[in-house]
Amino acid sequence: MSRATGVPSFIADVIVALCLLTMLVALLFTTYRVRR
Amino acid sequence: MMDALELLLNTNLWAAVLRIATPLIFGVLGALLCERSGVLNLGIEGIMTMGAMTGWLTVYMGGDLWTGLLVAAMCGGLMGLLHAMLTVPLGLSQHVSGLGITLFASALSYYLYRLIVTVGDLPPTIEPFRPLDIPILSDIPVLGPILFSQTMPTYLALLSVVVMAYVLARTPLGLAIRMTGENPHAVEAQGLNPIRIRIGAVVAGSALMAVGGAFLTTAAFNSFFPEMVQGRGWICIALVVFASWRPGKALLGALLFAFFDAYQLRLQTVVEGVPYQLFLMAPYVLSIAALILVARRAQVPEALMTPYRRGER
C-alpha cells in the first residue's frame, strides 16, 4: 500500500484503516434500495 | 528451585505486580463498561495506543501530567464515539468496526507522532509520575512498599474499580447500563433511551482504556514508541470474560496476569538453561488456562453484540 500510493507507511496505514471503516459504512447502504 | 520460590517473598515483585496491572485495570474496566451495555469494543488496542501517544505528547509539549491523562481520556472518548456511532445507531458489525478503530487509532497515533516529534537516535523523554509514599502507611512492613509506594495513576486505578463496582451494582445509572446489555427493549419500556445509554457507556469506557494507555507513557515509561501497548488491549478483552463481567473479579484477573508477567521477568534471571521465549509465553498460556477454567461459568450479557433497533422484536 505504501509503495503503491507512494506515501510513507504511517500514512498508508491510516488510509487502509479509513478504507475499512468507509467500506463498513458502505455495506449499510447496500441494505437500502433506490426508488423513483 | 529455591531461588525461584525466594522471588515470591520479594516485595519488589509484588510492587511490580501492581504497577504492571495498572494499565490492565483501566483497560479491563473500560471494556467491561462497554460490554455491560451490550457493545463489544475491539478498538481497545488502538484506543490504548492513542491514549499513550496523546498523553505523552501533551506532557512533551509542556502540559501537566494530569492534563496529559485528561487529554488522553478525551481522545480515547472521541475514538469511542466513532465506534459507538458506527455500532449503535447504525447497527454495523461490532467486530469489524472495533478492528477498524484499532487500525485507525494505532496508525493515526504513529502518524501524528512522526509528524509532530523529531525523533533522533533515542526517543525524546518526559518527566513521568514519581512513586508517592503515603505518610505512615508506606512505613508498614511488607504491605507498605507494595501498596502505598505507587504512582498516583495506580491509586486512581484501584479507586476506579471501587467506583465502577458501586455505580454498576448500586445506582440507577448502573442498573440502566446493565439492563441495556441484557434487554434494551425493557429499558425503552422504562422510558429510557438505550441508544444514548450505549453511546455514553462506550465513550466513558473508551476514555478509561485511553487512560490505561497513557499510564504506560506517563508513569511506567517516559517515552512513546510504536507497538508499546504490546497486546495489552487483547488481554483486557480476555480478562473481561475471565472476570465474568464483574469489576471485582476484573481486578483479580488483572493482578493475576500481572503476577505471571512480573514473575516470568524475574525467573529469566534465576532459571538457567531454559529459552527466555518460554518465559515470555508463560503469562499468555497461563491466562488461557485460567480463562478455560472460569469462562464456562461466565454469564454473558444477553444482548451483547446485538444491535438495538427501535420497534424490532
Side-chain angles (χ1 to χ4, degrees), chain B residues 25-66:
Chain B
I25 294 171
F26 281 119
V28 78
L29 286 181
L32 188 145
L33 186 60
C34 296
E35 291 185 25
R36 266 303 178 94
S37 74
V39 181
L40 177 72
N41 193 347
L42 291 182
I44 182 167
E45 186 81 5
I47 291 169
M48 284 180 87
T49 310
M50 175 64 91
M53 198 284 291
T54 48
W56 178 86
L57 192 64
T58 306
V59 181
Y60 180 70
M61 303 287 270
D64 186 32
L65 283 165
W66 288 106

Side-chain angles (χ1 to χ4, degrees), chain B residues 136-308:
Chain B
I136 304 169
L137 292 174
S138 62
D139 297 330
I140 300 171
V142 185
L143 277 183
I146 297 170
L147 287 176
F148 303 110
S149 292
Q150 298 286 347
T151 55
M152 277 306 279
T154 302
Y155 301 127
L156 186 66
L158 296 174
L159 184 69
S160 304
V161 177
V162 179
V163 171
M164 180 75 76
Y166 179 77
V167 168
L168 280 179
R170 305 270 174 205
T171 63
L173 175 66
L175 181 64
I177 291 170
R178 283 187 286 131
M179 197 63 188
T180 309
E182 299 290 341
N183 188 343
H185 297 283
V187 175
E188 182 155 44
Q190 285 288 315
L192 299 169
N193 189 339
I195 290 179
R196 279 191 195 165
I197 292 170
R198 280 190 169 174
I199 292 175
V202 173
V203 170
S206 303
L208 272 174
M209 295 168 187
V211 172
F215 172 84
L216 294 172
T217 46
T218 57
F221 306 105
N222 58 358
S223 59
F224 173 80
F225 47 90
E227 313 295 339
M228 77 177 307
V229 176
Q230 283 185 331
R232 285 180 179 87
W234 308 130
I235 290 291
C236 290
I237 296 288
L239 284 178
V240 175
V241 182
F242 174 83
S244 194
W245 289 268
R246 290 173 191 280
K249 285 187 179 174
L251 173 66
L252 275 182
L255 289 173
L256 188 70
F257 181 81
F259 166 73
F260 292 148
D261 204 13
Y263 195 47
Q264 66 85 13
L265 276 173
R266 284 155 180 78
L267 276 182
Q268 285 180 35
T269 56
V270 173
V271 181
E272 289 174 1
V274 181
Y276 75 93
Q277 289 89 347
L278 276 180
F279 290 112
L280 287 176
M281 209 166 59
Y284 301 97
V285 173
L286 291 170
S287 299
I288 291 170
L291 198 61
I292 291 168
L293 289 175
V294 177
R296 293 182 71 180
R297 279 173 287 161
Q299 287 182 316
V300 186
E302 203 65 31
L304 179 62
M305 290 187 282
T306 311
Y308 169 73

Side-chain angles (χ1 to χ4, degrees), chain B residues 80-151:
Chain B
L81 185 65
L82 178 60
H83 180 60
M85 293 315 285
L86 291 172
T87 54
V88 183
L90 298 182
L92 297 170
S93 164
Q94 296 180 8
H95 291 105
V96 181
S97 170
L99 293 173
I101 297 289
T102 282
L103 280 175
F104 179 61
S106 307
L108 191 66
S109 305
Y110 305 151
Y111 174 55
L112 290 176
Y113 178 71
R114 290 294 295 264
L115 199 68
I116 298 169
V117 181
T118 313
V119 184
D121 293 337
L122 289 171
T125 56
I126 57 165
E127 190 63 37
F129 280 103
R130 292 277 166 222
L132 185 77
D133 291 335
I134 296 179
I136 304 169
L137 292 174
S138 62
D139 297 330
I140 300 171
V142 185
L143 277 183
I146 297 170
L147 287 176
F148 303 110
S149 292
Q150 298 286 347
T151 55

Side-chain angles (χ1 to χ4, degrees), chain A residues 10-11 13-14 16-18 20-21 24-25 27-28, chain B residues 86 90 92 96-97 100 103-104 107-108 110-111 114:
Chain A
F10 292 101
I11 304 177
D13 288 344
V14 176
V16 170
L18 281 176
L20 177 65
L21 293 174
L24 186 63
V25 176
L27 274 176
L28 175 75
Chain B
L86 291 172
L90 298 182
L92 297 170
V96 181
S97 170
L103 280 175
F104 179 61
L108 191 66
Y110 305 151
Y111 174 55
R114 290 294 295 264

